[in-house]
Amino acid sequence: KQEVTQIPAALSVPEGENLVLNCSFTDSAIYNLQWFRQDPGKGLTSLLLIQSSQREQTSGRLNASLDKSSGRSTLYIAASQPGDSATYLCAADSGGGADGLTFGKGTHLIIQP
Amino acid sequence: NAGVTQTPKFRILKIGQSMTLQCTQDMNHNYMYWYRQDPGMGLKLIYYSVGAGITDKGEVPNGYNVSRSTTEDFPLRLELAAPSQTSVYFCASSYPNRFRNTIYFGEGSWLTVV
């Protein structure tokens, strides 16, 4: 059974810093890896999706990488801003059906002004 | 630009009561899902559907039922509510080729069973 772990569980950094959020998964046979953002009292918003054949995806100040062989993905946030404060979740899609998505517990990120 | 719409946003139920969480999407997605999220935990899949008339159990289906009579709607029924069903519920949908497309979530329904 796929298991997804996110480290750290919480992170607080000053504005302007570059930071890395980590996601690891136990079964490397995945179709894709997604990163989501969740604001308090809101649903999840997809940030980046990396296909299993890709190494990384970029969107603005966000860069997500994927290393299937080691079971790891990272989300890099450049020049962090207070508006980046949220919980970030990763999810590994093991395929095999619509129920193949396994979520991590998330990293709660606070950017201090 | 509605996307995935869930109702109600908040609800308090007494033990043993029943209710239905409504979910509708306007993106013509075949795949729809119901998840629950407990504090500090990841999302757990309750039920999912790959098209109208087709539903299947996820990881935590006990105490819930679903139906999918149309592409747009995927209601979640709670029968005989229990305190263990206190949680935040998210409905989601994705394209038929979900392996290459992102999943879209509603804003959640906060349910408390007392």
Side-chain angles (χ1 to χ4, degrees), chain A residues 3-7 22-26 35 71 73 90 102-107:
Chain A
E3 293 182 3
V4 177
T5 303
Q6 292 188 245
I7 295 174
N22 297 293
C23 172
S24 61
F25 46 95
T26 55
W35 283 93
S73 176
C90 68
T102 302
F103 286 84
K105 295 180 181 180
T107 294

Side-chain angles (χ1 to χ4, degrees), chain A residues 1 31-32 34 36 38 40-46 48-49 51 53 89 93-101 103-105, chain B residues 9 31 33 35 37 40-45 48-50 57-59 90 98-108 110:
Chain A
K1 179 186 175 185
Y31 281 80
N32 62 60
Q34 295 189 42
F36 296 87
Q38 185 175 27
K42 299 290 186 180
L44 282 70
T45 300
S46 181
L48 290 164
L49 182 152
Q51 299 292 342
S53 58
L89 294 92
D93 191 342
S94 301
D99 59 340
L101 212 60
F103 286 84
K105 295 180 181 180
Chain B
K9 182 82 170 181
Y31 286 27
Y33 319 81
Y35 292 91
Q37 185 180 36
M41 305 295 287
L43 276 73
K44 302 288 186 183
L45 183 64
Y48 66 97
S49 169
V50 299
K57 296 178 180 179
E59 185 179 357
F90 290 100
R98 68 183 294 273
F99 301 133
R100 297 190 178 279
N101 286 283
T102 58
I103 183 169
Y104 297 82
F105 284 84
E107 294 207 334
W110 273 252

Side-chain angles (χ1 to χ4, degrees), chain A residues 10-82:
Chain A
L11 181 63
S12 181
V13 300
E15 179 179 4
E17 283 200 4
N18 302 324
L19 57 98
V20 174
L21 306 182
N22 297 293
C23 172
S24 61
F25 46 95
T26 55
D27 184 353
S28 62
I30 62 170
Y31 281 80
N32 62 60
L33 190 291
Q34 295 189 42
W35 283 93
F36 296 87
R37 170 183 173 138
Q38 185 175 27
D39 292 292
K42 299 290 186 180
L44 282 70
T45 300
S46 181
L47 297 172
L48 290 164
L49 182 152
I50 313 174
Q51 299 292 342
S52 61
S53 58
Q54 298 173 322
R55 297 285 293 186
E56 64 180 80
Q57 281 285 339
T58 298
S59 176
R61 294 183 293 108
L62 304 180
N63 176 276
S65 67
L66 175 64
D67 184 343
K68 276 183 55 178
S69 61
S70 67
R72 295 179 185 274
S73 176
T74 62
L75 179 67
Y76 175 83
I77 302 177
S80 59
Q81 303 170 359

Side-chain angles (χ1 to χ4, degrees), chain B residues 3-69:
Chain B
V4 179
T5 303
Q6 293 180 232
T7 57
K9 182 82 170 181
F10 302 97
R11 182 72 185 269
I12 298 175
L13 275 182
K14 293 184 178 179
I15 294 173
Q17 286 186 323
S18 300
M19 74 161 296
T20 298
L21 298 177
Q22 303 291 344
C23 176
T24 187
Q25 53 92 7
D26 62 358
M27 297 173 281
N28 200 33
H29 289 169
N30 278 8
Y31 286 27
M32 295 189 73
Y33 319 81
W34 275 105
Y35 292 91
R36 60 176 287 172
Q37 185 180 36
D38 298 315
M41 305 295 287
L43 276 73
K44 302 288 186 183
L45 183 64
I46 304 171
Y47 270 96
Y48 66 97
S49 169
V50 299
I54 306 169
T55 63
D56 210 342
K57 296 178 180 179
E59 185 179 357
V60 290
N62 291 343
Y64 307 94
N65 279 299
V66 294
S67 59
R68 185 93 183 271
S69 57

